[in-house]
Amino acid sequence: MSFVTTEQHHRIDSTLPIDPESLQTPYVMIDLARTKRNIHHMTTTLQNISPQVTLRPHIKTHKLPQLAKMQLAAGAIGITCAKLAEAEVMAAAGINDIFIGYPLIGKLRLQRAAKLLQAGVRLIVAVDSLEGAQQLSRAASIHHVTFEIRLEIETGLRRTGVTQEQVVALALQIATLKGIHITGIFTYKGAVLAEKPTTDLAAAGKEESDIMIKVAAALREAGIAIQDISVGSTPSALHAASTEGVTEVRPGTYIFYDRMQAAYGVCQLEDCSALLWATIVSRPAPDRIIIDTGSKSLAADIQPQQDQLFLHGFGHIVGDADAIIERMNEEHGMVTVRPEATYAIGDRISIIPNHICTTINLHNFVYVKDEDGKLYQWNVAARGLVY
Amino acid sequence: MSFVTTEQHHRIDSTLPIDPESLQTPYVMIDLARTKRNIHHMTTTLQNISPQVTLRPHIKTHKLPQLAKMQLAAGAIGITCAKLAEAEVMAAAGINDIFIGYPLIGKLRLQRAAKLLQAGVRLIVAVDSLEGAQQLSRAASIHHVTFEIRLEIETGLRRTGVTQEQVVALALQIATLKGIHITGIFTYKGAVLAEKPTTDLAAAGKEESDIMIKVAAALREAGIAIQDISVGSTPSALHAASTEGVTEVRPGTYIFYDRMQAAYGVCQLEDCSALLWATIVSRPAPDRIIIDTGSKSLAADIQPQQDQLFLHGFGHIVGDADAIIERMNEEHGMVTVRPEATYAIGDRISIIPNHICTTINLHNFVYVKDEDGKLYQWNVAARGLVY
């Protein structure tokens, strides 16, 4: 018996348009016209305000080679990935300028990175420790490659990254290692996802860039030829880019936006182009509906009332600002609604997720509505390959 | 160029043992001996204390046909699934007694459910509304099947489920519909995952069962022949089973347990049999390490300090009770450690996740260590098929 389709099992894209009637909730629907508008907006705004700054979008938001190629066609110089599996999927699709903004630690990872270089991909990798650089240097020798690296700088998020105070000493040690070549520095400050999120995005972007310019100057003074100064997330990119000396920005979420970005004023809710659709499966009380999505299909990492913005619930229900997705179990979304609201069992609703990056990560497939209204099923090719 | 292996792309199990050196973090490792002990413990304890109560484990925890079959071989009477896709995967693997504890709403879902019945699977489905029952009745007529149904009873979780006050009237309406046959009632009270978690599991289990016995009596008095009274989650199952009249329990997490269950005293940390392994990729400060797992590979739905137990961090690092996974981004885990702790970049650590069900859901594959120490890669067959 086979109840699982070949497409589901082998995770391949649909080649012909699919019947809208075949869609079953919960599913992510991507509005391609809106998505292209978001791509266009970031690309052209950046060109207008800071023509010297290049765009290297982070593809961890969508994990789809099709969309990465649209970002490149619109003017991006390359892409950013969070991990090797994403880079491998993108390289297999023909994308050949990739920055992995994460320390690559471990023999097998470095072997895989070397394989990408050997295949002709321009791969830039992240370093934030001497040990990490030494591992790269050893792998370079074993696999006969040279790694282009960027040093990650700590600018306030307290995760990976070397501090301003330590960076020059570290860079000088790294510069003595063979097989690696420092060409830049990068940071992720994360205005919205920061430990203490800020709503003053202009100030956050400027602060981030100012630190980086200072670090680059110190490194150059020490004899390290820093070419690339790479900064910025979706909320801060356009602000961070306006500081002289910055060469590149790496926003990711802007391709779809999400409720968190809208809450921070980065976009309007109407700009959000990837929606989760769900079905009302129960209305056990006049003020409560239950929808067929929970923490296994709608990301729970950005929880309600976790920061000063007090996002109400786990997502915004399109067309009903009063509805609050108060709680989620794995497959249940508990939504408080106005008792007089006319929700019926079987009705479908669409939700703007709090965080689209982690929501897409829960789905094998997304559904794409193109400008002609035709629907396609796309395999989220880089999803689930966790390492 | 192909950087993605056939196994990764087509999501198939490894047939031969794999090399432990080939494992790359983050990955979930299942200790099979410990898992079998957990299966055995639940099965035999239940048989000892309540021999008349059958076990129908919830497979949403693991989503693996291999483990579902072990649960059946150990004495389970059938399985519980959260959604049709899980039931389809399990049926395709030969499992033929399945309860889906979730309202099936929508024509396509009901068509798929009918297909399972037509293939000879004993499929029991959940109903908590007249509209849901009417949809089932219509589908039964179209597809020439009869649906065996259980009414879901609300016992305090305020999600799906009909209240004690309304259940008799609803059941009498449903009993007039053709093509459906009420054979039981079920509930999920969720002692641990409840809105207001309780640590008095015995009281929670008894309360749950007492309500259900009362509901069954009222329904029988009204002429509805209730055979099955199905209750219980991992924390409450053994308590709920000891009430006379209960016929079935449906725990899920007990197969692996997790940190949340240990915190509630349901198991010891040492019983947890599915661990997430991660690599230390950075130690930017003496009291902070960064690990290569975040909300895309370690579930973030059970967040620190969300209830009275105040779980510290997103998981327990095995062997270091002082380490706290304070924050997570998508690929970064920020861990506070004792400054004198000897963590080095490249070291691997293992983590007992707060919630194993949603963690497994993030991985295409898990790795299984059998009793001989051999390693296998198993495709999480029902993962990612969200509807």
Side-chain angles (χ1 to χ4, degrees), chain B residues 194-208:
Chain B
E195 262 191 294
K196 297 192 198 332
T198 175
T199 50
D200 189 347
L201 302 174
K206 188 173 183 316
E207 188 184 307
E208 174 183 351

Side-chain angles (χ1 to χ4, degrees), chain A residues 177-230:
Chain A
L177 300 173
K178 288 188 179 148
I180 57 178
H181 183 45
I182 304 174
T183 59
I185 55 175
F186 79 103
T187 195
Y188 177 76
K189 187 170 164 57
V192 165
L193 277 180
E195 263 191 295
K196 297 190 198 330
T198 174
T199 49
D200 189 347
L201 302 174
K206 187 172 184 319
E207 187 185 307
E208 173 183 353
S209 289
D210 285 350
I211 296 173
M212 296 296 279
I213 297 299
K214 213 170 118 191
V215 167
L219 286 168
R220 284 166 182 152
E221 197 172 314
I224 313 285
I226 297 299
Q227 289 139 44
D228 301 310
I229 302 176
S230 176

Side-chain angles (χ1 to χ4, degrees), chain A residues 53-162:
Chain A
V53 175
T54 55
L55 176 65
R56 185 182 286 279
H58 208 311
I59 61 79
K60 54 113 184 168
T61 301
H62 55 74
K63 293 171 176 271
L64 287 159
Q66 297 95 320
L67 292 183
K69 288 181 181 177
M70 285 182 200
Q71 291 173 304
L72 291 166
I77 196 179
I79 62 168
T80 305
C81 293
K83 49 194 172 188
L84 256 172
E86 290 173 0
E88 288 167 336
V89 167
M90 296 296 150
I95 293 173
N96 58 14
D97 192 334
I98 301 175
F99 169 49
I100 301 179
Y102 198 89
L104 296 184
I105 301 294
K107 266 194 292 189
L108 293 174
R109 274 208 179 98
L110 293 167
Q111 187 181 325
R112 290 158 62 202
K115 199 174 159 194
L116 288 170
L117 284 173
Q118 288 159 351
V121 175
R122 180 197 177 194
L123 179 73
I124 316 165
V125 302
V127 170
D128 80 339
S129 69
L130 182 60
E131 169 62 26
Q134 286 166 337
Q135 287 201 12
L136 278 165
S137 179
R138 282 195 292 273
S141 163
I142 293 166
H143 302 293
H144 311 290
V145 295
T146 299
F147 286 105
E148 178 179 348
I149 68 172
R150 290 181 179 174
L151 300 174
E152 180 170 5
I153 311 300
E154 154 72 29
T155 51
L157 189 51
R158 295 202 306 119
R159 58 179 204 189
T160 42
V162 58

